[in-house]
Amino acid sequence: MIRSALMNVMTAAALKAGRGLKRDFGEVENLQVSVKGPGDFVTAADRKSEKTLFEELSKARPGYGFVLEESGIVEGTDKSHTWYIDPLDGTTNFLHGLPIFAISIGLAREGQIVAGLVYNPATEDMYIAEKGQGAYHNNRRLRVAARRNFGDALIGCGVPHPGKKGHVGFRAEFAAVMARASNLRRLGAAAIDLCYVAQGSYDGFWERELQPWDIAAGILIIKEAGGYVTDADGNPDMLTTGSICAGNEAIHSQLLTLIRAAK
Ligand code: IPD
Ligand code: CA
Ligand code: CA
């Protein structure tokens, strides 16, 4: 288990924000909801969670910059550190009473992700990783699945909303992967999807049009669990391109080939 001062700060902030999310999840029908874009909702719970995370992390690590889903970029005086925060990943699930949602916190140092945390307060699943220290689910060390045969693989994915440009292209990718894999899943919280690759529940995962706060933490958690993760073109700059393809070495490469060839 990782017991660094940094991870203590991150877990304390996530547990505090998580208590608020859990309370709001119990009274979801009373929440104020607004729409940011096609299929993209924001609730009072997202905003409260973000405020708590911002306050707690700013107090513990003064000067670090932030990339926050709801409030945008907050420049820090310390230019080498940036937090990437999704205060509630899986808002649609949250609004529908599905307990598949999480807080996601990633920390970049000099542009490299060095720490990641994904916490689902409904189930108390906590996934953490620090660069070079491994990845953990609660106290258990994580390892990606060993399966190499694509025909046996369970593959997770994300569906770009019909209002988004990637929606039509996704159908071709979905058909291509469905024709070869054992089966597919779409759970609706990208941060958790990535942790499911890290723990070997999914053999692979791909999605496009994500944002850095959705994936910063999960990317490190997969890498520290021995997985491979690139963007949908096989390049390493997922935080910029927003697409992601992940798995163990064998499944990652087969999944990448399928989605690149899909038309
Ligand atoms: C969304 C979820 C979903 C993914 C969307 C994301 P949000 O995040 O991660 O799985 O398909 O693209 O925007 O809006 O619930 O934080
Ligand atoms: Ca998200
Ligand atoms: Ca969110």
Side-chain angles (χ1 to χ4, degrees):
M1 189 63 186
I2 304 166
R3 300 208 186 278
S4 69
L6 173 63
M7 202 43 78
N8 286 343
V9 161
M10 291 168 66
T11 48
L15 289 171
K16 185 163 182 187
R19 280 194 291 276
L21 283 182
K22 201 171 173 179
R23 268 195 306 273
D24 286 336
F25 186 58
E27 298 187 18
V28 87
E29 63 285 352
N30 299 327
L31 275 183
Q32 226 187 313
V33 185
S34 45
V35 183
K36 289 190 282 184
D40 192 3
F41 303 98
V42 60
T43 70
D46 297 66
R47 297 193 207 282
K48 263 194 284 174
S49 172
E50 186 164 286
K51 183 167 181 285
T52 303
L53 294 167
F54 178 72
E55 286 171 358
E56 293 300 307
L57 295 172
S58 305
K59 217 182 325 165
R61 290 292 184 272
Y64 285 17
F66 284 83
V67 177
L68 299 153
E69 179 175 8
E70 309 307 338
S71 319
I73 295 173
V74 179
E75 297 282 352
T77 49
D78 174 344
K79 300 294 177 202
S80 54
H81 288 94
T82 306
W83 297 110
Y84 288 92
I85 297 198
D86 191 334
L88 171 50
D89 183 53
T91 297
T92 301
N93 287 342
F94 186 90
L95 285 171
H96 287 257
L98 289 168
I100 308 171
F101 59 88
I103 287 163
S104 177
I105 306 174
L107 177 66
R109 181 177 298 137
E110 310 292 359
Q112 294 270 333
I113 309 163
V114 292
L117 174 152
V118 174
Y119 175 55
N120 180 344
T123 57
E124 296 183 5
D125 286 308
M126 172 83 79
Y127 296 88
I128 57 170
E130 258 188 86
K131 197 165 167 41
Q133 307 290 311
Y136 292 82
H137 169 221
N138 299 338
N139 283 320
R140 194 172 56 90
R141 180 95 189 232
L142 293 177
R143 187 79 209 152
V144 291
R147 228 169 261 113
R148 301 183 64 80
N149 179 7
F150 205 82
D152 296 332
L154 181 65
I155 306 291
C157 61
V159 187
H161 192 272
K164 288 190 174 178
K165 65 178 188 316
H167 181 75
V168 173
F170 171 78
R171 294 191 212 167
E173 292 173 0
F174 186 84
V177 177
M178 192 171 62
R180 303 289 291 277
S182 160
N183 220 321
L184 283 108
R185 293 288 181 271
R186 195 298 194 248
L187 294 184
I192 294 181
D193 286 318
L194 298 181
C195 295
Y196 285 176
V197 174
Q199 75 178 19
S201 301
Y202 286 163
D203 299 292
F205 175 79
W206 92 102
E207 184 164 0
R208 293 178 187 270
E209 296 188 63
L210 291 167
Q211 300 294 333
W213 49 78
D214 296 315
I215 55 178
I219 288 169
L220 184 68
I221 294 170
I222 292 178
K223 286 185 178 167
E224 289 294 323
Y228 279 62
V229 48
T230 62
D231 72 8
D233 292 310
N235 297 317
D237 206 5
M238 301 139 275
L239 293 191
T240 311
T241 59
S243 66
I244 201 154
C245 175
N248 65 23
E249 187 180 8
I251 300 292
H252 170 266
S253 124
Q254 293 171 81
L255 181 57
L256 191 59
T257 304
L258 281 172
I259 60 177
R260 285 167 99 174
K263 291 276 175 320

Short mmCIF file of all heavy atoms in Angstrom, two decimals, residues 184-225:
data_model
loop_
_atom_site.label_atom_id
_atom_site.label_comp_id
_atom_site.label_asym_id
_atom_site.label_seq_id
_atom_site.Cartn_x
_atom_site.Cartn_y
_atom_site.Cartn_z
N LEU A 184 -18.83 -6.88 -24.92
CA LEU A 184 -18.53 -5.47 -24.65
C LEU A 184 -19.33 -4.94 -23.47
O LEU A 184 -20.40 -5.47 -23.17
CB LEU A 184 -18.85 -4.61 -25.89
CG LEU A 184 -17.79 -4.72 -26.97
CD1 LEU A 184 -18.29 -5.51 -28.13
CD2 LEU A 184 -17.36 -3.35 -27.40
N ARG A 185 -18.84 -3.88 -22.85
CA ARG A 185 -19.52 -3.20 -21.75
C ARG A 185 -19.43 -1.69 -21.94
O ARG A 185 -18.42 -1.20 -22.42
CB ARG A 185 -18.87 -3.54 -20.40
CG ARG A 185 -19.02 -5.00 -19.98
CD ARG A 185 -20.44 -5.32 -19.55
NE ARG A 185 -20.58 -6.70 -19.13
CZ ARG A 185 -20.88 -7.73 -19.93
NH1 ARG A 185 -21.06 -7.52 -21.22
NH2 ARG A 185 -20.99 -8.94 -19.44
N ARG A 186 -20.48 -0.97 -21.47
CA ARG A 186 -20.45 0.49 -21.46
C ARG A 186 -21.05 0.92 -20.13
O ARG A 186 -22.25 0.89 -19.94
CB ARG A 186 -21.28 1.02 -22.62
CG ARG A 186 -21.09 2.49 -22.98
CD ARG A 186 -21.46 3.48 -21.92
NE ARG A 186 -21.55 4.83 -22.43
CZ ARG A 186 -20.72 5.82 -22.12
NH1 ARG A 186 -19.73 5.61 -21.26
NH2 ARG A 186 -20.89 7.01 -22.64
N LEU A 187 -20.17 1.30 -19.17
CA LEU A 187 -20.65 1.58 -17.82
C LEU A 187 -20.93 3.05 -17.55
O LEU A 187 -21.64 3.38 -16.60
CB LEU A 187 -19.66 1.04 -16.79
CG LEU A 187 -19.52 -0.48 -16.74
CD1 LEU A 187 -18.57 -0.89 -15.63
CD2 LEU A 187 -20.86 -1.16 -16.54
N GLY A 188 -20.32 3.97 -18.30
CA GLY A 188 -20.68 5.38 -18.15
C GLY A 188 -19.87 6.19 -17.15
O GLY A 188 -20.33 7.25 -16.72
N ALA A 189 -18.70 5.72 -16.78
CA ALA A 189 -17.80 6.52 -15.94
C ALA A 189 -16.37 6.16 -16.36
O ALA A 189 -15.82 5.13 -15.92
CB ALA A 189 -18.02 6.24 -14.47
N ALA A 190 -15.78 7.00 -17.20
CA ALA A 190 -14.49 6.66 -17.80
C ALA A 190 -13.40 6.40 -16.76
O ALA A 190 -12.56 5.52 -16.92
CB ALA A 190 -14.07 7.77 -18.76
N ALA A 191 -13.42 7.19 -15.68
CA ALA A 191 -12.37 7.02 -14.65
C ALA A 191 -12.45 5.61 -14.06
O ALA A 191 -11.42 4.95 -13.83
CB ALA A 191 -12.54 8.07 -13.56
N ILE A 192 -13.67 5.12 -13.83
CA ILE A 192 -13.85 3.77 -13.28
C ILE A 192 -13.51 2.73 -14.35
O ILE A 192 -12.87 1.71 -14.07
CB ILE A 192 -15.28 3.58 -12.73
CG1 ILE A 192 -15.49 4.49 -11.53
CG2 ILE A 192 -15.54 2.11 -12.37
CD1 ILE A 192 -16.85 4.39 -10.88
N ASP A 193 -13.91 2.98 -15.59
CA ASP A 193 -13.57 2.05 -16.68
C ASP A 193 -12.06 1.77 -16.69
O ASP A 193 -11.64 0.62 -16.85
CB ASP A 193 -13.96 2.66 -18.03
CG ASP A 193 -15.46 2.66 -18.29
OD1 ASP A 193 -16.12 1.66 -17.98
OD2 ASP A 193 -15.98 3.67 -18.81
N LEU A 194 -11.27 2.83 -16.55
CA LEU A 194 -9.81 2.64 -16.61
C LEU A 194 -9.33 1.80 -15.43
O LEU A 194 -8.43 0.96 -15.58
CB LEU A 194 -9.11 4.00 -16.67
CG LEU A 194 -9.45 4.85 -17.90
CD1 LEU A 194 -8.69 6.17 -17.87
CD2 LEU A 194 -9.18 4.12 -19.20
N CYS A 195 -9.93 1.99 -14.27
CA CYS A 195 -9.56 1.16 -13.11
C CYS A 195 -9.94 -0.30 -13.33
O CYS A 195 -9.26 -1.21 -12.84
CB CYS A 195 -10.22 1.70 -11.83
SG CYS A 195 -9.62 3.34 -11.40
N TYR A 196 -11.02 -0.53 -14.07
CA TYR A 196 -11.41 -1.91 -14.37
C TYR A 196 -10.42 -2.59 -15.30
O TYR A 196 -10.26 -3.81 -15.25
CB TYR A 196 -12.84 -1.95 -14.93
CG TYR A 196 -13.91 -1.74 -13.88
CD1 TYR A 196 -15.25 -1.66 -14.22
CD2 TYR A 196 -13.58 -1.63 -12.53
CE1 TYR A 196 -16.23 -1.46 -13.25
CE2 TYR A 196 -14.55 -1.43 -11.56
CZ TYR A 196 -15.87 -1.35 -11.93
OH TYR A 196 -16.84 -1.16 -10.98
N VAL A 197 -9.74 -1.81 -16.13
CA VAL A 197 -8.64 -2.40 -16.92
C VAL A 197 -7.49 -2.73 -15.97
O VAL A 197 -6.91 -3.82 -16.02
CB VAL A 197 -8.15 -1.43 -18.02
CG1 VAL A 197 -6.92 -2.00 -18.72
CG2 VAL A 197 -9.26 -1.15 -19.03
N ALA A 198 -7.17 -1.79 -15.08
CA ALA A 198 -6.04 -1.99 -14.15
C ALA A 198 -6.25 -3.22 -13.27
O ALA A 198 -5.30 -3.93 -12.95
CB ALA A 198 -5.85 -0.75 -13.28
N GLN A 199 -7.50 -3.49 -12.88
CA GLN A 199 -7.72 -4.64 -11.99
C GLN A 199 -8.01 -5.92 -12.75
O GLN A 199 -8.25 -6.97 -12.16
CB GLN A 199 -8.82 -4.35 -10.96
CG GLN A 199 -10.22 -4.37 -11.48
CD GLN A 199 -11.27 -4.11 -10.39
OE1 GLN A 199 -10.95 -3.59 -9.32
NE2 GLN A 199 -12.50 -4.47 -10.64
N GLY A 200 -7.98 -5.85 -14.07
CA GLY A 200 -8.13 -7.06 -14.88
C GLY A 200 -9.58 -7.50 -15.07
O GLY A 200 -9.84 -8.59 -15.57
N SER A 201 -10.55 -6.64 -14.70
CA SER A 201 -11.95 -7.00 -14.93
C SER A 201 -12.29 -6.85 -16.41
O SER A 201 -12.95 -7.70 -17.00
CB SER A 201 -12.87 -6.10 -14.10
OG SER A 201 -12.58 -6.23 -12.74
N TYR A 202 -11.86 -5.73 -16.98
CA TYR A 202 -11.89 -5.58 -18.44
C TYR A 202 -10.53 -6.02 -18.97
O TYR A 202 -9.50 -5.70 -18.36
CB TYR A 202 -11.99 -4.12 -18.84
CG TYR A 202 -13.25 -3.36 -18.68
CD1 TYR A 202 -13.19 -1.97 -18.72
CD2 TYR A 202 -14.49 -3.96 -18.52
CE1 TYR A 202 -14.31 -1.19 -18.61
CE2 TYR A 202 -15.63 -3.17 -18.40
CZ TYR A 202 -15.54 -1.80 -18.44
OH TYR A 202 -16.65 -1.03 -18.33
N ASP A 203 -10.54 -6.64 -20.13
CA ASP A 203 -9.26 -6.95 -20.79
C ASP A 203 -8.78 -5.76 -21.59
O ASP A 203 -7.58 -5.63 -21.86
CB ASP A 203 -9.44 -8.18 -21.69
CG ASP A 203 -9.85 -9.38 -20.86
OD1 ASP A 203 -9.02 -9.84 -20.06
OD2 ASP A 203 -11.02 -9.82 -20.96
N GLY A 204 -9.70 -4.91 -22.01
CA GLY A 204 -9.32 -3.73 -22.77
C GLY A 204 -10.41 -2.69 -22.71
O GLY A 204 -11.53 -2.97 -22.26
N PHE A 205 -10.08 -1.47 -23.15
CA PHE A 205 -11.04 -0.36 -23.13
C PHE A 205 -10.63 0.66 -24.17
O PHE A 205 -9.44 0.90 -24.37
CB PHE A 205 -11.05 0.31 -21.74
CG PHE A 205 -11.92 1.53 -21.66
CD1 PHE A 205 -13.30 1.40 -21.52
CD2 PHE A 205 -11.39 2.81 -21.75
CE1 PHE A 205 -14.12 2.52 -21.46
CE2 PHE A 205 -12.20 3.94 -21.69
CZ PHE A 205 -13.57 3.78 -21.55
N TRP A 206 -11.64 1.25 -24.85
CA TRP A 206 -11.33 2.39 -25.70
C TRP A 206 -12.46 3.41 -25.64
O TRP A 206 -13.61 3.06 -25.39
CB TRP A 206 -11.03 1.96 -27.14
CG TRP A 206 -12.20 1.96 -28.09
CD1 TRP A 206 -12.48 2.90 -29.03
CD2 TRP A 206 -13.24 0.97 -28.21
NE1 TRP A 206 -13.63 2.56 -29.73
CE2 TRP A 206 -14.11 1.38 -29.24
CE3 TRP A 206 -13.53 -0.22 -27.52
CZ2 TRP A 206 -15.24 0.65 -29.61
CZ3 TRP A 206 -14.66 -0.95 -27.90
CH2 TRP A 206 -15.50 -0.50 -28.93
N GLU A 207 -12.11 4.65 -25.82
CA GLU A 207 -13.10 5.72 -25.91
C GLU A 207 -12.45 6.94 -26.54
O GLU A 207 -11.23 7.13 -26.43
CB GLU A 207 -13.66 6.08 -24.51
CG GLU A 207 -14.77 7.13 -24.59
CD GLU A 207 -15.63 7.27 -23.33
OE1 GLU A 207 -15.41 6.55 -22.34
OE2 GLU A 207 -16.56 8.13 -23.37
N ARG A 208 -13.26 7.75 -27.20
CA ARG A 208 -12.78 9.01 -27.79
C ARG A 208 -13.49 10.19 -27.14
O ARG A 208 -14.50 10.01 -26.48
CB ARG A 208 -13.07 9.04 -29.29
CG ARG A 208 -12.28 8.03 -30.08
CD ARG A 208 -12.67 8.09 -31.55
NE ARG A 208 -12.06 7.02 -32.29
CZ ARG A 208 -10.87 7.11 -32.88
NH1 ARG A 208 -10.17 8.21 -32.82
NH2 ARG A 208 -10.39 6.06 -33.53
N GLU A 209 -12.96 11.37 -27.41
CA GLU A 209 -13.57 12.63 -26.97
C GLU A 209 -13.70 12.73 -25.45
O GLU A 209 -14.71 13.19 -24.93
CB GLU A 209 -14.93 12.83 -27.65
CG GLU A 209 -14.76 12.98 -29.16
CD GLU A 209 -16.04 13.37 -29.86
OE1 GLU A 209 -16.56 14.45 -29.58
OE2 GLU A 209 -16.51 12.57 -30.68
N LEU A 210 -12.68 12.23 -24.77
CA LEU A 210 -12.64 12.42 -23.32
C LEU A 210 -11.83 13.67 -23.00
O LEU A 210 -11.20 14.26 -23.87
CB LEU A 210 -11.99 11.18 -22.67
CG LEU A 210 -12.85 9.92 -22.74
CD1 LEU A 210 -12.04 8.69 -22.38
CD2 LEU A 210 -14.08 10.04 -21.84
N GLN A 211 -11.88 14.06 -21.75
CA GLN A 211 -11.17 15.25 -21.29
C GLN A 211 -10.06 14.82 -20.33
O GLN A 211 -10.14 13.74 -19.73
CB GLN A 211 -12.15 16.18 -20.56
CG GLN A 211 -13.32 16.64 -21.42
CD GLN A 211 -12.87 17.54 -22.57
OE1 GLN A 211 -11.84 18.22 -22.49
NE2 GLN A 211 -13.62 17.51 -23.66
N PRO A 212 -9.03 15.67 -20.16
CA PRO A 212 -7.91 15.27 -19.30
C PRO A 212 -8.34 14.88 -17.88
O PRO A 212 -7.75 13.97 -17.28
CB PRO A 212 -6.98 16.49 -19.28
CG PRO A 212 -7.59 17.53 -20.14
CD PRO A 212 -8.78 16.96 -20.84
N TRP A 213 -9.38 15.54 -17.35
CA TRP A 213 -9.81 15.21 -15.97
C TRP A 213 -10.47 13.83 -15.90
O TRP A 213 -10.51 13.22 -14.85
CB TRP A 213 -10.73 16.29 -15.41
CG TRP A 213 -11.86 16.67 -16.34
CD1 TRP A 213 -13.02 15.97 -16.57
CD2 TRP A 213 -11.92 17.84 -17.17
NE1 TRP A 213 -13.79 16.63 -17.49
CE2 TRP A 213 -13.15 17.77 -17.88
CE3 TRP A 213 -11.07 18.92 -17.37
CZ2 TRP A 213 -13.54 18.76 -18.78
CZ3 TRP A 213 -11.46 19.90 -18.26
CH2 TRP A 213 -12.68 19.82 -18.96
N ASP A 214 -11.00 13.33 -17.03
CA ASP A 214 -11.60 11.99 -17.03
C ASP A 214 -10.53 10.90 -16.87
O ASP A 214 -10.80 9.83 -16.34
CB ASP A 214 -12.31 11.69 -18.36
CG ASP A 214 -13.49 12.57 -18.66
OD1 ASP A 214 -14.31 12.79 -17.75
OD2 ASP A 214 -13.61 13.05 -19.81
N ILE A 215 -9.34 11.17 -17.43
CA ILE A 215 -8.39 10.07 -17.66
C ILE A 215 -7.03 10.21 -16.98
O ILE A 215 -6.29 9.22 -16.93
CB ILE A 215 -8.18 9.86 -19.19
CG1 ILE A 215 -7.75 11.16 -19.89
CG2 ILE A 215 -9.45 9.29 -19.82
CD1 ILE A 215 -7.48 10.99 -21.40
N ALA A 216 -6.70 11.40 -16.46
CA ALA A 216 -5.33 11.60 -15.93
C ALA A 216 -5.01 10.54 -14.86
O ALA A 216 -3.96 9.88 -14.92
CB ALA A 216 -5.18 13.01 -15.36
N ALA A 217 -5.90 10.37 -13.90
CA ALA A 217 -5.63 9.42 -12.81
C ALA A 217 -5.61 7.98 -13.34
O ALA A 217 -4.68 7.21 -13.05
CB ALA A 217 -6.71 9.55 -11.73
N GLY A 218 -6.60 7.63 -14.14
CA GLY A 218 -6.73 6.24 -14.63
C GLY A 218 -5.56 5.80 -15.49
O GLY A 218 -5.16 4.62 -15.45
N ILE A 219 -4.99 6.73 -16.26
CA ILE A 219 -3.84 6.37 -17.11
C ILE A 219 -2.70 5.84 -16.25
O ILE A 219 -2.10 4.80 -16.53
CB ILE A 219 -3.37 7.61 -17.93
CG1 ILE A 219 -4.38 7.94 -19.02
CG2 ILE A 219 -1.99 7.39 -18.52
CD1 ILE A 219 -4.13 9.29 -19.71
N LEU A 220 -2.40 6.58 -15.16
CA LEU A 220 -1.30 6.15 -14.30
C LEU A 220 -1.65 4.84 -13.58
O LEU A 220 -0.80 3.95 -13.44
CB LEU A 220 -0.96 7.23 -13.27
CG LEU A 220 0.25 6.88 -12.40
CD1 LEU A 220 1.54 6.88 -13.23
CD2 LEU A 220 0.40 7.83 -11.22
N ILE A 221 -2.91 4.70 -13.17
CA ILE A 221 -3.32 3.48 -12.46
C ILE A 221 -3.13 2.27 -13.37
O ILE A 221 -2.62 1.23 -12.95
CB ILE A 221 -4.77 3.64 -11.92
CG1 ILE A 221 -4.80 4.73 -10.83
CG2 ILE A 221 -5.30 2.32 -11.36
CD1 ILE A 221 -6.19 5.17 -10.36
N ILE A 222 -3.48 2.40 -14.66
CA ILE A 222 -3.27 1.29 -15.60
C ILE A 222 -1.78 1.01 -15.79
O ILE A 222 -1.34 -0.14 -15.73
CB ILE A 222 -3.92 1.59 -16.97
CG1 ILE A 222 -5.44 1.60 -16.85
CG2 ILE A 222 -3.48 0.57 -18.01
CD1 ILE A 222 -6.17 1.93 -18.14
N LYS A 223 -0.99 2.06 -16.00
CA LYS A 223 0.45 1.85 -16.24
C LYS A 223 1.10 1.17 -15.04
O LYS A 223 1.91 0.26 -15.19
CB LYS A 223 1.15 3.18 -16.51
CG LYS A 223 0.86 3.74 -17.88
CD LYS A 223 1.68 4.98 -18.11
CE LYS A 223 1.44 5.55 -19.50
NZ LYS A 223 1.99 6.91 -19.63
N GLU A 224 0.72 1.61 -13.85
CA GLU A 224 1.33 1.05 -12.64
C GLU A 224 0.82 -0.37 -12.36
O GLU A 224 1.38 -1.08 -11.53
CB GLU A 224 1.08 1.97 -11.44
CG GLU A 224 1.89 3.26 -11.50
CD GLU A 224 3.41 3.01 -11.38
OE1 GLU A 224 3.81 2.12 -10.62
OE2 GLU A 224 4.18 3.72 -12.06
N ALA A 225 -0.26 -0.76 -13.04
CA ALA A 225 -0.75 -2.14 -12.92
C ALA A 225 -0.18 -3.01 -14.05
O ALA A 225 -0.62 -4.13 -14.25
CB ALA A 225 -2.28 -2.16 -12.95
#
